[in-house]
Amino acid sequence: MKIAFRPKLLDCLATYDKAQFGKDLAAGITVGVLALPLAMAFAIASGVSPTAGIWTAIVAGFIIAALGGSRVQIGGPTGAFIPIVYGIVAVHGTANLLGATLLAGAMLLAMGLARLGRLIRFIPVTVVIGFTNGIAVVIFLAQIKDFFGLAIDNLPAEFFARIKVLAAHAHTVDLPTLALALACFFFLLFYNRLAQKLKLLQRAPGPLAVLLVGTLVAAIFDLPVATIGSRFNGIPQELPAFGLPAVSIHDIGKLISPAITIALLGAIESLLSARVADGQIDDRHDPNQELIAQGLANMAAPLFGGFAATGAIARTSTNARSGGRTPVAGMIHSLVLLAIVLLAAPLAAYVPLATLSAIVMVVAINMGEWHHFRELRRFSYNYRIILLATFFVTVLFDLTIAVELGMVLACLFFIYRMSELTRVKRLPLHEAADEPCFLYPDGTMRVAAWQLFGSLFFGAVNKLEALLDPAAGHPEIVILDMTQLIQLDTTGLEGLDNLLDKLKKRRCTLLICGLNTQPGSLLRRSGFIDHLGGENVCTDLTAALARATLLLPNLIGSEEDN
């Protein structure tokens, strides 16, 4: 297998010029400024330090842009990872989170090298909508603690335990924190409408404007609220220590399942983001190259203290709308974040956690595709069951279980639907009824013809039993017209083998006609045609009836001999 490694950056540099660099520079600065509050907010919501979020955006964002398969993809920490990362930290600790991220990166890299990028598209949209909306609910609930300023040391990752703890501490609401959070929440929620009326706001991304306003209000009025400085001692104004995560060899087995979850979600979200971006810039991404870059990014980020990263739909869309058209914009976005850390890190200590929680809550509301719930009545029961099951299992239990359940349900419903489309229909042989050799003395037919429609696979092979039903009579020749059979699997092949053997025991001859390419290939390769006899394979129904005319006198003679 030939492994293709060609980042989009190489294609873009061939025609790169100063004009495009100017557009990429402006877009990179815009997205870099937007990414700062989001990186810190997502990190804190995930149970790690804001520093880890920023360095994830810097390191992973640069690699995803430089080596990815999309022209405008912006990588970094995203809201979708919050419940997953928070759960890993709560159960396994921060060091093992970095180890799980590294393992997930290796899995993503292997998926890209194995050219599995297009397989991600096989996940049904119902499953994607279900877990996306479920993740949005989990993220929203996780922010209640900081939004209301509740006096909770450690919030459990499990849903029911989390609700119980939140309810038990509901009386500890901090009014200054709640007031600031509500103001920031509604300001950001209606920011776009305000920006249309105030030209000054149009130049600043909403999350950044809320971050600055919330921080200034808290500082000017000296509000007694928790800040990045009070909880995390600020953000170090230096490069992070480089090194492998301190993971014990005994813990690796426990990290495989979390790593699979990170890899699966990272692959889905990054390729969805790339597809959205394709529509904005009229381009086509390379899914396998994108997975390779995602894998390398997730392997590199933990070496700098970062955690799981993937393509960010909102930041990628902002990049495209701001004029970014090459990976250079994504690389500039990472360099902007690096400059902010090295020059202005001490100022981050004054950022209120209530402001960041408000930003994450708005992100959660915006990431959910809530209109699909309103439209459920328009779709089939299968659609509703898959979407709602995935949604509720994501919220109540675990994303991995939800995706697995959604896929299993989707496969079962697909099998049922395909089996319903597969039909075995008896053909009336009016033109043969006048042939004396085709009739028994009592007028019943000595020849029966059946047509197969659809796919003869493991979910529909039982429909061949109709050919052996005593009510169908006792023909001496059975013709199977396969002109409408488009697919045959090995279980269907076994069903045909059993049918042939049972018909032979009844001294009945089987003829088949109208073989399409795939069924014909399998029947020949398996030896079924040799077992049947090549002379009993006909081109069409007319040829099969002609073959039956030749066979019936011989069959009559055989009966008389007996």
Side-chain angles (χ1 to χ4, degrees), residues 12 21-22 51 66 76 83 111 152 203 209 222-223 241 265 281 330 369 420 425 455 470 505:
C12 295
F21 176 75
T51 305
M111 290 168 63
I152 301 174
R203 298 185 178 183
D222 194 22
L223 297 179
L265 182 58
I281 63 173
E369 299 181 62
E420 289 295 297
K425 175 185 176 183
S455 172
K505 290 178 182 180

Side-chain angles (χ1 to χ4, degrees), residues 187-198 201-202:
F187 179 55
L188 182 56
L189 195 62
F190 298 103
Y191 183 83
N192 289 335
R193 296 182 185 178
L194 292 173
Q196 292 176 357
K197 298 179 180 179
L198 301 175
L201 296 180
Q202 294 177 1

Side-chain angles (χ1 to χ4, degrees), residues 61-90:
F62 190 90
I63 294 175
I64 289 171
L67 303 179
S70 170
R71 289 175 176 265
V72 294
Q73 183 84 284
I74 301 295
T78 66
F81 275 127
I82 290 175
I84 298 171
V85 173
Y86 188 91
I88 296 173
V89 173

